[in-house]
Amino acid sequence: MRVPFYDIKAQYDDLASSMSEAVQSVLSSGVYVLGPNHNQLEREIADRHGITHGIGVANGTDALRILMDAVGIGEGDEVITPAFTFVASVETVVQTGATPVFVDIETESFGIDPAKIEAAITSRTKAILPVHLFGQLCRIDEIKAIADRHGLLLLEDGAQALDSHCNGKFAGQYGLGCGFSFYVTKNLGAAGDAGMIITNHDEVNEQCRSMRIHGMGRERYYYDHLGYTSRLDEIQAAVLRVKLQKLDAWNTQRQKLAEIYLRELADLPLTLPTVLNGNNHTWHQFSILTDRRDDLQAFLKARGADSMIYYPVPIHFHSPYLKYGNGKGSLPVTEQVCEQILNLPIQPHLSEDQIHHVARSVQEFLTTQS
Ligand SMILES: Cc1ncc(COP(=O)(O)O)c(C=O)c1O
């Protein structure tokens, strides 16, 4: 049986006629940038998260970069961030001229370990940038308390945390702002690149809106600061709005598939994903830990099942970031997770039979192969 990890075409097939209609309607409108779909999408995403402002941008990386610029992070500042993340979380800190300071993670949320943050705070620390990975919030309440206690800015990388909340308090409600990605493979993915910043702060909203169009002020062709060309275009917004109508159903399906894994993989010698108290989980990824990861991945491949490794190498091991870290052994949990993590397929267009096939293959490997 074939079990693909991503099947974007299946999402399209689910919505083919409404998606084509939406794209056609944008093309025939002649409004391709900052049009009605874009404005509606900003409203819809902000409302879903109980947030005042949504600012559409070209991708999730720009969302983080613009957000950091907007709150004044730059040269001389330190930003506390994990090294277990997609590179953009750290890359954008470096691009502002600030220095990323890596703090190790804990294995329940795969987010920064709050117990290790205070030791990393110095007189230059300006902000904490926690990353909500795989579909649930990290220990954001504890992290926010630390940021408040030390007068630090809190910014959220919510690229993988659309619709994630803790006791009803959504990603974006904790920090000054939160960046989302609508990259193709995300739970809500565009037909290309797209991203959004959400914020409850009027000033941050104004700054981000200006920065995404070259730092232009309220008056056209008058510039208040350096900026970017980073808009979420109208065709992507139209596609996203069609897909948004299906997002709840798709996330419900992800939950159902996750429950099959959790049931069938219980009692095996591996670590299953944990959902933190109060958190929902949108199962952007289903991540297991095993010290036989590479052999298991090859075994699954031979059984027709794709899997992925998010992330095989911690950020502080990559050459552009070596100088910000303290080398091998400095972030032991991060480094071990990178060696042990395996992401099993969980996209909503997989059938229960396909998930049973993956689960049974994992069982077979762990109980019969030594
Ligand atoms: C944790 C994290 N941060 C930032 C990003 C950057 O988003 P994008 O790929 O839309 O630029 C991603 C997307 O892959 C991500 O997973």
Side-chain angles (χ1 to χ4, degrees), residues 6-57:
Y6 293 118
D7 189 354
I8 306 305
K9 171 81 164 56
Q11 282 184 21
Y12 172 71
D13 291 343
D14 213 359
L15 294 162
S17 63
S18 36
M19 215 131 89
S20 301
E21 227 170 82
V23 169
Q24 189 54 51
S25 141
V26 173
L27 288 176
S28 59
S29 76
V31 180
Y32 300 153
V33 176
L34 302 180
N37 280 289
H38 164 271
N39 297 341
Q40 276 298 326
L41 184 70
E42 285 189 336
R43 201 53 277 135
E44 286 162 359
I45 296 293
D47 286 349
R48 267 180 105 83
H49 294 81
I51 295 270
T52 325
H53 307 287
I55 305 107
V57 290

Side-chain angles (χ1 to χ4, degrees), residues 58-64 84-92 131-134 157-161 179-186 192-196 284 310-311:
N59 53 64
T61 306
D62 282 3
L64 296 174
F84 183 70
T85 180
F86 181 65
V87 67
S89 324
V90 181
E91 177 186 37
T92 47
V131 183
H132 305 300
L133 279 184
F134 301 153
D157 181 342
Q160 300 182 17
F180 287 136
S181 165
F182 303 121
Y183 178 66
V184 179
T185 55
K186 295 292 192 279
D193 282 304
M196 194 173 288
H284 175 55
Y310 297 119
Y311 297 95

Side-chain angles (χ1 to χ4, degrees), residues 27 114 123 167 189 248-249:
L27 288 176
S123 57
N167 295 318
D248 287 338

Side-chain angles (χ1 to χ4, degrees), residues 33-34 55-58 62 66 69 206-231:
V33 176
L34 302 180
I55 305 107
V57 290
D62 282 3
I66 288 173
D69 275 357
E206 291 275 322
Q207 286 284 332
C208 291
R209 269 180 206 289
S210 159
M211 313 235 37
R212 75 176 172 184
I213 92 170
H214 304 285
M216 194 149 80
R218 283 172 189 274
E219 211 171 330
R220 216 172 163 80
Y221 303 124
Y222 285 79
Y223 304 96
D224 296 335
H225 28 245
L226 282 178
Y228 304 87
T229 321
S230 185
R231 294 168 293 231

